[in-house]
Amino acid sequence: MGDAPGQRVFRAEVVRVEDLSASLRRIVFGGHDLAEFASSGSPDEYLRVVVPAPGQTEPVLPAVVDSVLDYGSIDMGLLRTYTVRRHDADAGEVTIDFVLHDHGVVTAWARAAGPGAVVGLNLPTGMYAAPTDLAWQVLVADCAALPALARVLEQTPPDVRNRVVVEVPGDEHRIDLPAHPRTEVTWVHGGNGHRPSRLENVVRALPHPDAPGGYVWVAGESRALRGVRHYLRRDLGLPASRYKAVGYWIERAEEWNERYDALDEDTRRSLEAMWSEDRPEEDIESDYDERLAALGL
């Protein structure tokens, strides 16, 4: 996922903290810098959060060179990507719901964060792109994608039908979703680094109305979404304008990165070159998934 054009970095201070579930902590940021923060308007917009190094109180913010963030100027281990749950322009506040994992430097920061704690935020960009004739949508997510799903529902017109399925480890991870008059919600247990994910089976089992105006949005663990993308693109033959399947995180990411880095240079170069091919990104994405799976990744 790329950054928004015309980037800049904001120094943001924690204003309020609230636990929403066993794994979701809401942190509201403010500070004079955020008076110039601009939302993209996309309900699943995301940004980079840079936290201070352990033992420090101020984060080292990336330099901006020609409106592009220079990630080489910071410790990338202190940066993660999160959804903007809400932007209150009048109050100059940005709300982010942090998923608390079992370990990780940003999770450790979020668990300990209180009013006055400081992070860096950049400008957000989004990927949800429902068609103009939207009449119904299927929304499927795991815990990491719950904040985005909640905002999607919040911004969905009342006449649109929604079929929602959320995969959580257990009932203690459920939250109250925004009310919508034409929404059916189902909670299932699995995935989220605790058990095998059921996301692909869920998507395959959901009815897909024949009526026009449909959109499918699925977000969760990256490898769990490979089969989802194959089903939507290859089996159903949906055009790119009718679906989006977004990998929000990778289970055992450090182990995955080590194995990827251990690939020979030619293999890594060929994988990266795929994204420069002159063909639809969704087709490249499907082929890329298959290459990674064949490599045991």
Side-chain angles (χ1 to χ4, degrees):
M1 296 189 286
D3 293 326
Q7 278 296 328
R8 63 162 293 185
V9 184
F10 304 86
R11 182 182 182 276
E13 301 177 8
V14 176
V15 176
R16 297 182 298 280
V17 178
E18 176 188 3
D19 287 325
L20 303 180
S21 73
S23 58
L24 205 59
R25 168 165 289 189
R26 172 164 293 171
I27 299 182
V28 181
F29 296 95
H32 64 85
D33 245 19
L34 292 185
E36 298 182 28
F37 184 91
S39 169
S40 71
S42 176
D44 68 344
E45 66 179 359
Y46 59 90
L47 45 64
R48 318 298 186 184
V49 178
V50 184
V51 301
Q56 303 297 312
T57 57
E58 286 284 337
V60 175
L61 304 182
V64 181
V65 180
D66 296 329
S67 297
V68 176
L69 297 186
D70 178 13
Y71 290 122
S73 63
I74 65 170
D75 179 354
M76 290 294 288
L78 301 174
L79 177 149
R80 295 292 186 275
T81 301
Y82 287 94
T83 298
V84 176
R85 178 61 185 86
R86 182 174 294 111
H87 173 227
D88 186 335
D90 293 334
E93 294 180 344
V94 172
T95 297
I96 298 176
D97 293 345
F98 288 78
V99 177
L100 302 180
H101 301 287
D102 294 334
H103 55 82
V105 64
V106 179
T107 286
W109 179 89
R111 288 187 187 279
V118 179
V119 300
L121 306 176
N122 73 331
L123 286 171
T125 188
M127 301 185 74
Y128 174 93
T132 56
D133 64 346
L134 182 67
W136 62 267
Q137 61 185 352
V138 171
L139 307 171
V140 180
D142 66 8
C143 281
L146 257 178
L149 183 147
R151 190 171 169 190
V152 168
L153 278 178
E154 214 166 55
Q155 295 183 203
T156 296
D159 59 329
V160 173
R161 289 181 291 131
N162 303 289
R163 183 68 176 89
V164 177
V165 180
V166 187
E167 181 178 64
V168 294
D171 287 339
E172 69 275 16
H173 298 270
R174 293 172 56 162
I175 65 170
D176 292 330
L177 292 173
H180 188 281
R182 305 193 67 193
T183 298
E184 179 184 350
V185 180
T186 301
W187 298 83
V188 299
H189 294 173
N192 298 283
H194 295 265
R195 281 177 282 176
S197 175
R198 300 169 59 187
L199 290 182
E200 180 181 349
N201 290 337
V202 163
V203 174
R204 287 180 175 274
L206 287 173
H208 296 281
D210 295 328
Y215 187 65
V216 180
W217 179 88
V218 188
E221 200 275 329
S222 292
R223 281 173 289 190
L225 262 60
R226 291 177 184 172
V228 171
R229 276 191 288 266
H230 187 281
Y231 172 66
L232 295 175
R233 184 68 171 178
R234 302 281 172 81
D235 296 349
L236 291 184
L238 293 182
S241 60
R242 293 295 170 179
Y243 80 94
K244 180 63 69 174
V246 188
Y248 270 37
W249 62 289
I250 299 175
E251 187 175 353
R252 297 189 295 276
E254 292 180 1
E255 174 189 325
W256 189 94
N257 288 330
E258 289 176 0
R259 293 170 62 192
Y260 183 90
D261 291 341
L263 295 173
D264 64 85
E265 186 175 344
D266 288 343
T267 299
R268 290 200 308 273
R269 187 183 296 116
S270 68
L271 286 168
E272 292 162 6
M274 293 178 69
W275 297 103
S276 301
E277 297 174 6
D278 185 19
R279 57 196 182 103
E281 181 177 332
E282 289 71 24
D283 291 333
I284 296 174
E285 195 170 39
S286 292
D287 290 343
Y288 185 79
D289 285 343
E290 292 176 4
R291 284 286 308 280
L292 290 179
L295 291 166
L297 294 169

